[in-house]
PDB file of all heavy atoms in Angstrom:
ATOM      1  N   LYS A 305       1.282   6.289  28.626  1.00  0.00           N
ATOM      2  CA  LYS A 305       2.127   7.457  28.255  1.00  0.00           C
ATOM      3  C   LYS A 305       2.195   8.491  29.318  1.00  0.00           C
ATOM      4  O   LYS A 305       2.553   9.595  29.098  1.00  0.00           O
ATOM      5  CB  LYS A 305       1.698   8.077  26.957  1.00  0.00           C
ATOM      6  CG  LYS A 305       1.784   7.125  25.753  1.00  0.00           C
ATOM      7  CD  LYS A 305       1.273   7.838  24.395  1.00  0.00           C
ATOM      8  CE  LYS A 305       1.209   6.888  23.249  1.00  0.00           C
ATOM      9  NZ  LYS A 305       2.555   6.537  22.720  1.00  0.00           N
ATOM     10  N   GLY A 306       1.522   8.243  30.429  1.00  0.00           N
ATOM     11  CA  GLY A 306       1.464   8.967  31.640  1.00  0.00           C
ATOM     12  C   GLY A 306       0.461  10.060  31.544  1.00  0.00           C
ATOM     13  O   GLY A 306       0.594  11.144  32.178  1.00  0.00           O
ATOM     14  N   LEU A 307      -0.585   9.933  30.656  1.00  0.00           N
ATOM     15  CA  LEU A 307      -1.540  11.029  30.394  1.00  0.00           C
ATOM     16  C   LEU A 307      -2.710  10.968  31.440  1.00  0.00           C
ATOM     17  O   LEU A 307      -3.488  11.964  31.516  1.00  0.00           O
ATOM     18  CB  LEU A 307      -1.990  11.140  29.004  1.00  0.00           C
ATOM     19  CG  LEU A 307      -0.993  11.482  28.014  1.00  0.00           C
ATOM     20  CD1 LEU A 307      -1.582  11.186  26.618  1.00  0.00           C
ATOM     21  CD2 LEU A 307      -0.765  13.040  28.002  1.00  0.00           C
ATOM     22  N   ASP A 308      -2.968   9.883  32.095  1.00  0.00           N
ATOM     23  CA  ASP A 308      -3.861   9.737  33.107  1.00  0.00           C
ATOM     24  C   ASP A 308      -5.285  10.165  32.704  1.00  0.00           C
ATOM     25  O   ASP A 308      -5.908  11.120  33.116  1.00  0.00           O
ATOM     26  CB  ASP A 308      -3.357  10.694  34.309  1.00  0.00           C
ATOM     27  CG  ASP A 308      -3.450   9.978  35.586  1.00  0.00           C
ATOM     28  OD1 ASP A 308      -3.869   8.718  35.517  1.00  0.00           O
ATOM     29  OD2 ASP A 308      -3.124  10.629  36.619  1.00  0.00           O
ATOM     30  N   ALA A 309      -5.863   9.457  31.714  1.00  0.00           N
ATOM     31  CA  ALA A 309      -7.030   9.937  31.107  1.00  0.00           C
ATOM     32  C   ALA A 309      -8.338   9.502  32.012  1.00  0.00           C
ATOM     33  O   ALA A 309      -8.287   8.420  32.734  1.00  0.00           O
ATOM     34  CB  ALA A 309      -7.222   9.276  29.755  1.00  0.00           C
ATOM     35  N   ASN A 310      -9.345  10.378  32.016  1.00  0.00           N
ATOM     36  CA  ASN A 310     -10.617  10.056  32.729  1.00  0.00           C
ATOM     37  C   ASN A 310     -11.686   9.779  31.584  1.00  0.00           C
ATOM     38  O   ASN A 310     -11.651  10.401  30.608  1.00  0.00           O
ATOM     39  CB  ASN A 310     -11.116  10.982  33.608  1.00  0.00           C
ATOM     40  CG  ASN A 310     -10.138  11.101  34.741  1.00  0.00           C
ATOM     41  OD1 ASN A 310      -9.951  10.003  35.356  1.00  0.00           O
ATOM     42  ND2 ASN A 310      -9.741  12.263  34.992  1.00  0.00           N
ATOM     43  N   ILE A 311     -12.749   9.028  32.033  1.00  0.00           N
ATOM     44  CA  ILE A 311     -13.920   8.960  31.097  1.00  0.00           C
ATOM     45  C   ILE A 311     -15.014   9.585  31.765  1.00  0.00           C
ATOM     46  O   ILE A 311     -15.346   9.317  32.902  1.00  0.00           O
ATOM     47  CB  ILE A 311     -14.162   7.400  30.723  1.00  0.00           C
ATOM     48  CG1 ILE A 311     -12.923   6.944  29.974  1.00  0.00           C
ATOM     49  CG2 ILE A 311     -15.396   7.262  29.923  1.00  0.00           C
ATOM     50  CD1 ILE A 311     -12.995   5.482  29.731  1.00  0.00           C
ATOM     51  N   GLN A 312     -15.843  10.393  30.960  1.00  0.00           N
ATOM     52  CA  GLN A 312     -16.991  10.997  31.535  1.00  0.00           C
ATOM     53  C   GLN A 312     -18.182  10.642  30.627  1.00  0.00           C
ATOM     54  O   GLN A 312     -18.155  10.821  29.469  1.00  0.00           O
ATOM     55  CB  GLN A 312     -16.813  12.531  31.637  1.00  0.00           C
ATOM     56  CG  GLN A 312     -17.914  13.318  32.231  1.00  0.00           C
ATOM     57  CD  GLN A 312     -17.848  14.805  32.183  1.00  0.00           C
ATOM     58  OE1 GLN A 312     -16.988  15.395  31.408  1.00  0.00           O
ATOM     59  NE2 GLN A 312     -18.507  15.528  32.969  1.00  0.00           N
ATOM     60  N   ARG A 313     -19.296  10.241  31.232  1.00  0.00           N
ATOM     61  CA  ARG A 313     -20.523   9.859  30.535  1.00  0.00           C
ATOM     62  C   ARG A 313     -21.438  11.115  30.511  1.00  0.00           C
ATOM     63  O   ARG A 313     -21.699  11.655  31.585  1.00  0.00           O
ATOM     64  CB  ARG A 313     -21.376   8.718  31.087  1.00  0.00           C
ATOM     65  CG  ARG A 313     -20.478   7.510  30.787  1.00  0.00           C
ATOM     66  CD  ARG A 313     -21.314   6.213  31.234  1.00  0.00           C
ATOM     67  NE  ARG A 313     -20.205   5.134  31.024  1.00  0.00           N
ATOM     68  CZ  ARG A 313     -20.257   4.377  29.990  1.00  0.00           C
ATOM     69  NH1 ARG A 313     -21.079   4.338  29.199  1.00  0.00           N
ATOM     70  NH2 ARG A 313     -19.340   3.409  30.024  1.00  0.00           N
ATOM     71  N   LEU A 314     -21.795  11.536  29.336  1.00  0.00           N
ATOM     72  CA  LEU A 314     -22.729  12.840  29.254  1.00  0.00           C
ATOM     73  C   LEU A 314     -24.032  12.369  28.868  1.00  0.00           C
ATOM     74  O   LEU A 314     -24.066  11.397  28.097  1.00  0.00           O
ATOM     75  CB  LEU A 314     -22.162  13.660  28.106  1.00  0.00           C
ATOM     76  CG  LEU A 314     -20.688  14.421  28.423  1.00  0.00           C
ATOM     77  CD1 LEU A 314     -20.320  15.397  27.238  1.00  0.00           C
ATOM     78  CD2 LEU A 314     -20.633  15.131  29.733  1.00  0.00           C
ATOM     79  N   GLU A 315     -24.895  13.162  29.033  1.00  0.00           N
ATOM     80  CA  GLU A 315     -26.305  12.893  28.635  1.00  0.00           C
ATOM     81  C   GLU A 315     -26.227  12.862  27.121  1.00  0.00           C
ATOM     82  O   GLU A 315     -25.632  13.776  26.501  1.00  0.00           O
ATOM     83  CB  GLU A 315     -27.263  13.953  29.095  1.00  0.00           C
ATOM     84  CG  GLU A 315     -28.814  13.587  28.870  1.00  0.00           C
ATOM     85  CD  GLU A 315     -29.598  14.876  29.263  1.00  0.00           C
ATOM     86  OE1 GLU A 315     -29.198  15.597  30.199  1.00  0.00           O
ATOM     87  OE2 GLU A 315     -30.600  15.075  28.607  1.00  0.00           O
ATOM     88  N   ASN A 316     -26.857  11.951  26.409  1.00  0.00           N
ATOM     89  CA  ASN A 316     -26.725  11.857  24.955  1.00  0.00           C
ATOM     90  C   ASN A 316     -27.402  12.969  24.268  1.00  0.00           C
ATOM     91  O   ASN A 316     -28.562  13.125  24.343  1.00  0.00           O
ATOM     92  CB  ASN A 316     -27.168  10.475  24.463  1.00  0.00           C
ATOM     93  CG  ASN A 316     -26.661  10.189  23.068  1.00  0.00           C
ATOM     94  OD1 ASN A 316     -26.206  11.055  22.327  1.00  0.00           O
ATOM     95  ND2 ASN A 316     -26.915   8.882  22.678  1.00  0.00           N
ATOM     96  N   PRO A 317     -26.682  13.889  23.560  1.00  0.00           N
ATOM     97  CA  PRO A 317     -27.445  14.942  22.671  1.00  0.00           C
ATOM     98  C   PRO A 317     -28.114  14.407  21.475  1.00  0.00           C
ATOM     99  O   PRO A 317     -28.987  15.155  21.037  1.00  0.00           O
ATOM    100  CB  PRO A 317     -26.262  15.838  22.395  1.00  0.00           C
ATOM    101  CG  PRO A 317     -25.039  14.957  22.347  1.00  0.00           C
ATOM    102  CD  PRO A 317     -25.227  13.850  23.294  1.00  0.00           C
ATOM    103  N   ARG A 318     -27.845  13.216  21.132  1.00  0.00           N
ATOM    104  CA  ARG A 318     -28.350  12.658  19.889  1.00  0.00           C
ATOM    105  C   ARG A 318     -29.647  11.865  20.072  1.00  0.00           C
ATOM    106  O   ARG A 318     -29.849  11.309  21.246  1.00  0.00           O
ATOM    107  CB  ARG A 318     -27.258  11.832  19.212  1.00  0.00           C
ATOM    108  CG  ARG A 318     -26.032  12.560  19.065  1.00  0.00           C
ATOM    109  CD  ARG A 318     -24.965  11.672  18.364  1.00  0.00           C
ATOM    110  NE  ARG A 318     -23.782  12.541  18.097  1.00  0.00           N
ATOM    111  CZ  ARG A 318     -22.913  12.345  17.158  1.00  0.00           C
ATOM    112  NH1 ARG A 318     -23.006  11.288  16.416  1.00  0.00           N
ATOM    113  NH2 ARG A 318     -21.841  13.074  16.998  1.00  0.00           N
ATOM    114  N   VAL A 319     -30.368  11.558  19.116  1.00  0.00           N
ATOM    115  CA  VAL A 319     -31.496  10.672  19.156  1.00  0.00           C
ATOM    116  C   VAL A 319     -31.022   9.379  18.383  1.00  0.00           C
ATOM    117  O   VAL A 319     -30.820   9.384  17.135  1.00  0.00           O
ATOM    118  CB  VAL A 319     -32.661  11.286  18.469  1.00  0.00           C
ATOM    119  CG1 VAL A 319     -33.886  10.228  18.341  1.00  0.00           C
ATOM    120  CG2 VAL A 319     -33.212  12.627  19.070  1.00  0.00           C
TER     121      VAL A 319
END
Side-chain angles (χ1 to χ4, degrees):
K305 294 180 189 285
L307 287 167
D308 229 0
N310 289 311
I311 296 174
Q312 186 184 12
R313 285 183 192 260
L314 298 179
E315 192 187 327
N316 194 345
R318 305 181 176 205
V319 176

